[in-house]
Each structure stands twice: as structure tokens, then as C-alpha cells.
Amino acid sequence: MNTEINLFSPYQLGDLELPNRIVMAPLTRQRAAAGNVPHQLNATYYAQRATAGLIISEATQISPQGLGYPDTPGIYSSAQVAGWRLVTDAVHQQGGRIFLQLWHVGRISHPDLQPDGALPVAPSAIAPKGQALTYQGYKPFVTPRALETSEIPGIVEQYRQGAANALAAGFDGVEIHAANGYLIDQFLRDGTNQRTDKYGGAIENRTRLLLEVTEAVTGVWDSQRVGVRLAPSGTFNDMHDSHPLETFGYAAQALNQFDLAYLHIVEGLEGDIRHGATLVPTSHLRQKFTGGLIVCGGYTRERGDAVLANKAADLVAFGIPYIANPDLPQRFALNAPLNQPNQTTFYGGNGRGEEGYTDYPFWSVTSEPVVSQ
């Protein structure tokens, strides 16, 4: 009897039975309707991908202040909750499971996107390199405003309320976005956090916001319905840390107190290395974190099977392959060729709706791999 674990082995995620270990990674697609409200097109898109063991939604801002890109969905208004209910109902009708990713972008925003044209907020007043995408196009990032210590409980409350709204919207759980250079990641790393209060300096202090948010969210959801995403090797959004092995090893170990469903690791890629990243091996975090582990970062079916067989992870998340292949598990199971994604349609804009979003074909015996035009 072959007992080797692979992508098609079932997995028990708390009280959720996942039929496979293939996770749809969170993918920003910028196709929300007016008011950053999910709508029927989004429901169709996620329902198409419901054969994943678990879907993690695109990053979803917890407040107007958390917005960093046009046309990304929120989870702070009643209309947004109702819009997400369309999505969760559609996924559940297809037998799927879906978590919402809770997001605050911090400094990765622009006054054009902020309420009343305010400055974006961050742990420290340090501008990122690069440009912000606004409704008028790309503009240079501005220097953000450092949050006052007295404001941070309000940020934690935004996460708690976002988690409560996700529960009302019918999600199966939530993932706290603490990766990719957004607000919680900005607090974790000393390259962006130069505070001198209880949220800065020592790693115990820089981890405080992550732990307070996790405590608040697990006060709404059973802890086995909550995950956290980290990107310890990531340089995206001009991120760096002096001692990433220590920083993220400490954070991973500190999260054990919550008995979470999983830790989701965005692994370092060639682009991170080119930008000077110190790679943090997933094995280092595997030793620190006692719960389930999801890995993400350029995986193929073969590499996914291998990392599971070696017990280096418990589930594997796929991003870009899921854009072009709504039936990715079936294609993997059949060794079928994959549709190739069209990068020009990854994000919304120019009135783009279903193009490159819901129009990729499902596999059939007559299918040929295609690029969406």
C-alpha cells in the first residue's frame, strides 16, 4: 500500500476536510465593482476554482484606510459583506471551501486613494521606493505618516471587525495578511519599523501588532479557522530586515500560542535574490511552528508532490497557474497541459471584466493550451 502523501491526499484542516492539498493562493485581480464591492463576476471566478482543497481570497482591505490599489474588494461595509456572500454561496454550491484574506496596505498607498486625501499610515515615516497605482495612473509613493501609539488599538479593531464581517459573509475562515510589504510586515521588519515605543525596537515589540491582531481575530473565529501569511524572504514593496532568520523564527514560534490552522509561507524567488534578500529556509520555520504549513512560490505539480512527500509542508498554494486554469486539480491529476496566462489581463482596468478572468477554458480531450487574448 502506497501511503506517500501528495497533492491529492486529503487533509484535515481543523474541522474542515480538504479533499486535496492544492490551495488557490490569494491573487489580486482588481475587478471589484463600485464601492470596492464584490459582485457576480467575482462569484463566477471563485466558483470556477472550487475544486481546490482550499481557496484563499484575494487580499481584502479591512477599512478605507487600508486601500492600496483601485478596484480591490473591501470587507468593512454592508454592501461588501453582501457582495462577498454571493461569492461564498457560489463556492459552497460547488462543494468548495474559502478563507478571506484580511489586508491593510499601510504605506503602500497614496493620498489619492485615502479618505479625504490623507497620508497613508505606517509604523515609521519611511517612503517606499517605487510608484503607487492610483485611479489616475502611477504616481510616486509619498512619505507615510507614522501611526501614534494610541491609534494602534483602532487598527487592531479594524482587523477584528473585518474578521467578524467575514464570518457574516459566509467564509469558512480567514487569513491574516502579514506578508509582501504591507502593514503588519512593515511592523515586523526593522527596515520599515524604527519606532521607539512598545511596537518598535526589539523583535518582541515589532511582533506585537501581529500577535495583537491574531488574538483579536481568534476572538471572533475558532483558531483552527485562522491562518497567517508571512514572506520572510520577500523584497516586494521595498522590504528588508537586518536579521530575517531571527525575526521570522521568533514570529513563527510566537504564533504557536494561538493553535492556528496554518502558517502560509511565501518563499523567496529569484527576484528576491536579485534584490538582495537573505533567504529564510522554510525548514527553519517548520522547526519553529507546530501547526500546518502552506508553501507558495513558483511550485509545479512535481515540486508540490515532492515537498509534501518530504513532509517539508502540509499544503501547497498555487497562484499564477490558477489564473489561467480554473480546473487546476483536474489538469494535474490527468497530466493535462496547462493554459498559459496572459499577463496583460492579470489586473482590471480599461473596462476589463471577464477577459482573462473567467474566460479561460476548462480541460477536455479536445482542449489545447491557450493564451487568453
Side-chain angles (χ1 to χ4, degrees):
M1 179 179 178
N2 183 6
T3 59
E4 185 174 281
I5 295 171
N6 60 34
L7 289 171
F8 295 96
S9 303
Y11 184 76
Q12 193 69 35
L13 187 72
D15 61 351
L16 283 176
E17 295 182 6
L18 310 187
N20 60 62
R21 297 177 185 231
I22 300 169
V23 176
M24 178 180 168
L27 293 160
T28 293
R29 305 302 307 276
Q30 292 180 278
R31 283 174 172 82
N36 298 316
V37 174
H39 56 127
Q40 186 57 53
L41 182 66
N42 308 128
T44 300
Y45 167 77
Y46 283 108
Q48 286 178 337
R49 290 153 177 81
T51 55
L54 178 67
I55 295 171
I56 304 171
S57 83
E58 63 207 274
T60 301
Q61 58 264 8
I62 54 174
S63 69
Q65 183 191 69
L67 176 67
Y69 305 86
D71 304 322
T72 55
I75 191 64
Y76 54 86
S77 75
S78 57
Q80 291 163 353
V81 171
W84 276 119
R85 173 61 79 168
L86 291 175
V87 173
T88 60
D89 284 350
V91 169
H92 293 151
Q93 286 166 10
Q94 295 299 316
R97 295 138 302 276
I98 182 168
F99 278 30
L100 178 82
Q101 191 185 62
L102 300 166
W103 189 34
H104 190 307
V105 302
R107 69 178 187 164
I108 306 301
S109 188
H110 189 276
D112 288 0
L113 298 169
Q114 291 291 304
D116 302 319
L119 288 173
V121 298
S124 301
I126 302 170
K129 297 175 183 177
Q131 294 185 307
L133 178 58
T134 75
Y135 287 99
Q136 292 77 43
Y138 284 98
K139 297 186 179 183
F141 282 120
V142 301
T143 300
R145 177 178 67 81
L147 285 161
E148 299 290 339
T149 306
S150 60
E151 293 179 278
I152 294 179
I155 299 289
V156 175
E157 171 58 23
Q158 290 175 14
Y159 279 96
R160 189 205 66 78
Q161 186 61 58
N165 290 347
L167 187 61
F171 283 92
D172 297 297
V174 293
E175 178 176 281
I176 298 166
H177 195 351
N180 297 356
Y182 299 116
L183 184 65
I184 297 177
D185 200 17
Q186 293 161 27
F187 270 85
L188 283 170
R189 304 206 214 189
D190 61 15
T192 42
N193 184 345
Q194 298 180 4
R195 301 176 72 90
T196 57
D197 64 357
K198 66 180 183 178
Y199 292 94
I203 181 55
E204 294 86 352
N205 290 343
R206 287 182 280 122
T207 309
R208 191 181 305 275
L209 178 62
L210 170 62
L211 300 182
E212 289 182 350
V213 167
T214 305
E215 182 177 20
V217 170
T218 54
V220 174
W221 286 87
D222 182 284
S223 65
Q224 285 288 297
R225 296 295 187 100
V226 178
V228 169
R229 194 181 213 214
L230 297 174
S233 305
T235 59
F236 182 60
N237 283 326
D238 192 25
M239 295 301 291
H240 57 92
D241 186 80
S242 300
H243 304 286
L245 271 79
E246 291 86 347
T247 296
F248 288 95
Y250 179 90
Q253 191 162 22
L255 288 168
N256 286 330
Q257 65 187 283
F258 299 106
D259 188 30
L260 298 174
Y262 63 79
L263 186 61
H264 184 178
I265 302 299
V266 183
E267 297 183 330
L269 298 173
E270 289 183 9
D272 298 304
I273 297 171
R274 287 198 304 271
H275 287 90
T278 298
L279 295 184
V280 177
T282 298
S283 58
H284 175 65
L285 303 178
R286 184 69 154 172
Q287 294 169 3
K288 302 289 186 179
F289 186 72
T290 58
L293 196 69
I294 302 176
V295 290
C296 183
Y299 276 85
T300 61
R301 190 201 65 182
E302 292 76 17
R303 284 189 61 223
D305 280 339
V307 76
L308 295 176
N310 293 334
K311 299 185 179 179
D314 300 295
L315 302 112
V316 181
F318 296 87
I320 290 175
Y322 253 120
I323 289 177
N325 297 277
D327 54 349
L328 188 65
Q330 180 188 15
R331 288 175 184 264
F332 280 170
L334 296 174
N335 252 343
L338 301 183
N339 295 326
Q340 297 305 303
N342 179 0
Q343 294 191 19
T344 66
T345 59
F346 278 7
Y347 304 108
N350 301 317
R352 187 172 290 124
E354 66 179 26
E355 180 190 2
Y357 189 59
T358 57
D359 60 352
Y360 283 102
F362 286 71
W363 170 254
S364 73
V365 291
T366 59
S367 293
E368 295 291 339
V370 301
V371 175
S372 176
Q373 300 298 321

